Amino acid sequence: MKLFRTIGPIFALAGAALGQTPPPAPPAPQAAPAAPAPAPAAPALAPAAPAPAPAAAPEPLQPPAPPAPAVAPLPPLPPLPPLPADLDVQLLDLQDRLSDMRLDLNLDTRALSDQIRAEAKQWAADLALDAPRMAIDRIAGSMALAQQSAADAQQRAMEAQQRAQERTQEAIQRAQEKAMTRLSHMGDDSLYNAGQRALDQHRYPEALEDFTQVASRGGSRADGAYYWKAYALIKLGRRDEALAALAELRKAHPQSRWLDDAKALEVEAGKPVSPESESDEELKLIALNGLMQSDPDRALPLLDNLLKGNQPPRIKKRVVYVLAASDSPKAQAMLEQVARGQSNPDVQLAAIQYLGGRRNQPAKMQLLLDVYSNSNDPNIKRAVINSLSSDHTQLLQIARNEKNPELKAYAIRMLSSRNDSGTGDALAGMYADSDKDVKNAILDALSGQRNAHAMIELAKAEKDTQAKQRILERLIGMHSPEVNDYLLEILK
């Protein structure tokens, strides 16, 4: 039995290895028949159940369970087969075969491992070859995408730039149209003064537009506009255009009082533009103003040299301001010389303006009247009229004697603030012998005085229907009882 238990597994392993079914295991030895079971004892009576409730009937006793049948005896086991005589030889052969199988298995495993390693190396080699190509493909794809994105962005930028240029061009066109509208509605004097303000604030492009417009009109301020146009062009660094503007000044206005200043400006055009030079000039003027207040005798010769030299008109105008601010008799005498026309028209206009501020000095007013009588420049005459605006007697004299309709009408309009009967009667007395523009100026002045009586008298005497209509249009806005009575008289 011990031997069977030892070699039994060996047979099983050998059979599995050889592909054979092992012989059946010998049956286990049969045990001796068991002695017959004793007869079961009579079952004991079940314990008494608890006493039922009085209402329930007692249950009958159950019969005892029958005894279990006796177990049949097992058949005897067959005898073990005899062991083969060459068992040791078989075992050795089986051991050799198992060694060969193990060797073959190891060889197959090693071959499989070599094949797997070879395939892995080949796959790695293929991958190593494919990786650069894949990377190149990815890089190429990324570059193509980036190039397309850059092209799209460039296209969008070009479209945005185009839209911005169109909007800018539209804005420039609107600004130009607006500027041209503004220029077309402004008179020469207004444009000229606007250009001067632009120069003082270093807004040279705007000043250039204003002076170009005034020069192109060919009016009384055209020669000065040519000069300042050239000055603005020099400040903008456009020297050739500046020289061309000065040449046009000499050609169109050969007798202009600006020619001397134009020669000096041509010299300046050949020099480089230096912002420091303007600062130096301003500092010099400030220093001269301070010296004029503390030591006029030393400052006046310096100021006189500036007035007579080749200084630009804006510097000479500042010199005039320094002279006008001084009470020194010598300074006032120099100011009067400038007012009489010693310098260019712009500097003379500045001197007249400053003299007009001394209305309490009769000698100054008489000087202005002399300047008016001796000048042929309508700009100078208008400046004198402005300076005499508070002296209605002198204005009336100018209005009566002036032959130029524009200057006559200008003087009359300056009298609109004089609300007195004497002035109104004097204006009404000039109405009949005046042209249309002067008549309108007289009506404007009387309307500004709210002199309804004088206007009604003019309306009654007026024979021209359109002229009478102009008088009625002004009378309707007065809303006075006298006007209402006259309107009712017309309706009858």
Side-chain angles (χ1 to χ4, degrees):
M1 181 60 69
K2 288 183 180 180
L3 178 61
F4 183 81
R5 286 195 299 270
T6 301
I7 66 174
I10 296 176
F11 277 111
L13 179 59
L18 297 175
Q20 300 176 356
T21 304
Q30 186 176 1
L45 295 176
E59 296 181 0
L61 297 175
Q62 298 294 331
V71 178
L74 295 175
L77 294 174
L80 292 173
L83 292 175
D86 56 349
L87 177 61
D88 293 338
V89 175
Q90 292 182 14
L91 291 176
L92 291 175
D93 180 61
L94 178 61
Q95 185 177 3
D96 292 338
R97 294 179 63 184
L98 287 174
S99 298
D100 293 339
M101 291 176 63
R102 187 179 297 108
L103 179 60
D104 294 340
L105 181 61
N106 290 336
L107 293 176
D108 292 341
T109 302
R110 187 177 297 108
L112 180 61
S113 299
D114 293 340
Q115 181 180 358
I116 292 174
R117 282 194 295 270
E119 291 179 356
K121 288 181 180 179
Q122 184 63 38
W123 178 81
D126 295 341
L127 182 61
L129 293 175
D130 291 341
R133 289 194 295 268
M134 294 172 62
I136 291 173
D137 292 341
R138 287 195 296 270
I139 293 174
S142 300
M143 290 179 64
L145 182 61
Q147 290 175 351
Q148 183 61 39
S149 301
D152 294 342
Q154 185 177 9
Q155 180 65 27
R156 291 193 296 271
M158 292 176 61
E159 293 175 355
Q161 184 179 7
Q162 180 66 26
R163 291 193 297 270
Q165 290 177 349
E166 293 175 356
R167 289 193 296 268
T168 302
Q169 188 63 30
E170 292 175 357
I172 292 174
Q173 184 176 358
R174 288 194 300 269
Q176 290 177 343
E177 292 175 353
K178 184 177 180 180
M180 292 304 298
T181 302
R182 178 185 70 88
L183 295 177
S184 63
H185 287 82
M186 293 179 67
D188 287 357
D189 289 340
S190 298
L191 273 176
Y192 194 93
N193 294 332
Q196 291 283 357
R197 290 191 296 272
L199 286 180
D200 292 339
Q201 298 173 8
H202 306 289
R203 293 183 282 111
Y204 300 117
E206 183 178 338
L208 178 60
E209 292 181 4
D210 293 340
F211 291 123
T212 300
Q213 183 69 17
V214 176
S216 65
R217 294 178 181 179
S220 61
R221 312 205 75 166
D223 53 348
Y226 274 117
Y227 174 88
W228 290 116
K229 175 183 178 180
Y231 181 86
L233 287 169
I234 290 175
K235 292 299 182 181
L236 293 171
R238 297 155 62 177
R239 294 181 177 84
D240 293 340
E241 296 177 61
L243 293 175
L246 294 175
E248 187 65 25
L249 167 60
R250 286 191 296 269
K251 178 180 178 181
H253 305 276
Q255 304 299 324
S256 174
R257 296 167 57 193
W258 285 93
L259 296 181
D260 292 338
D261 294 296
K263 292 179 181 179
L265 190 59
E266 283 180 335
V267 176
E268 291 295 323
K271 299 178 181 179
V273 178
S274 175
E276 293 79 6
S277 62
E278 295 188 3
S279 301
D280 292 342
E281 292 170 354
E282 295 292 335
L283 291 175
K284 289 179 180 178
L285 288 173
I286 293 173
L288 282 173
N289 190 23
L291 185 61
M292 188 68 189
Q293 295 177 12
S294 60
D295 193 350
D297 293 336
R298 294 179 60 187
L300 286 173
L302 298 175
L303 294 172
D304 188 51
N305 291 335
L306 290 175
L307 286 173
K308 295 178 181 178
N310 292 330
Q311 299 296 327
R314 60 185 300 272
I315 298 298
K316 293 182 179 181
K317 289 172 66 175
R318 293 293 299 274
V319 172
V320 170
Y321 168 77
V322 174
L323 294 174
S326 174
D327 293 330
S328 167
K330 292 183 180 180
Q332 291 302 308
M334 291 174 60
L335 183 63
E336 292 175 7
Q337 291 176 359
V338 176
R340 290 181 184 275
Q342 185 184 37
S343 186
N344 70 59
D346 278 9
V347 180
Q348 184 182 8
L349 289 174
I352 292 172
Q353 178 183 357
Y354 290 128
L355 286 175
R358 299 177 180 269
R359 299 184 180 93
N360 57 342
Q361 300 178 12
K364 303 297 184 184
M365 298 299 101
Q366 185 59 48
L367 171 64
L368 292 176
L369 288 173
D370 294 341
V371 171
Y372 188 93
S373 301
N374 296 324
S375 177
N376 294 322
D377 188 340
N379 300 310
I380 299 299
K381 288 180 176 288
R382 276 193 294 268
V384 173
I385 291 173
N386 290 332
S387 298
L388 296 174
S389 60
S390 61
D391 191 339
H392 67 283
T393 302
Q394 299 296 340
L395 280 181
L396 277 174
Q397 181 180 347
I398 291 174
R400 289 192 183 99
N401 300 328
E402 181 57 58
K403 303 303 180 183
N404 185 320
E406 293 182 3
L407 291 173
K408 190 179 187 76
Y410 190 79
I412 289 172
R413 288 191 174 93
M414 294 296 293
L415 291 167
S416 61
S417 61
R418 302 297 304 179
N419 192 8
D420 57 82
S421 58
T423 302
D425 293 341
L427 292 174
M430 290 185 283
Y431 182 85
D433 298 330
S434 301
D435 63 4
K436 179 180 177 180
D437 292 337
V438 175
K439 284 183 176 181
N440 287 334
I442 292 174
L443 294 178
D444 291 340
L446 293 175
S447 178
Q449 295 175 356
R450 303 192 66 81
N451 192 336
H453 178 74
M455 294 180 68
I456 291 173
E457 294 301 321
L458 292 176
K460 290 179 179 179
E462 182 62 67
K463 304 302 181 182
D464 183 85
T465 303
Q466 293 183 351
K468 195 166 189 173
Q469 181 179 349
R470 289 194 296 268
I471 298 174
L472 289 177
E473 289 174 352
R474 289 169 172 81
L475 285 172
I476 292 173
M478 292 188 178
H479 305 292
S480 69
E482 187 176 6
V483 172
N484 293 336
D485 293 341
Y486 176 65
L487 296 177
L488 289 174
E489 182 180 342
I490 294 175
L491 292 173
K492 290 180 181 180

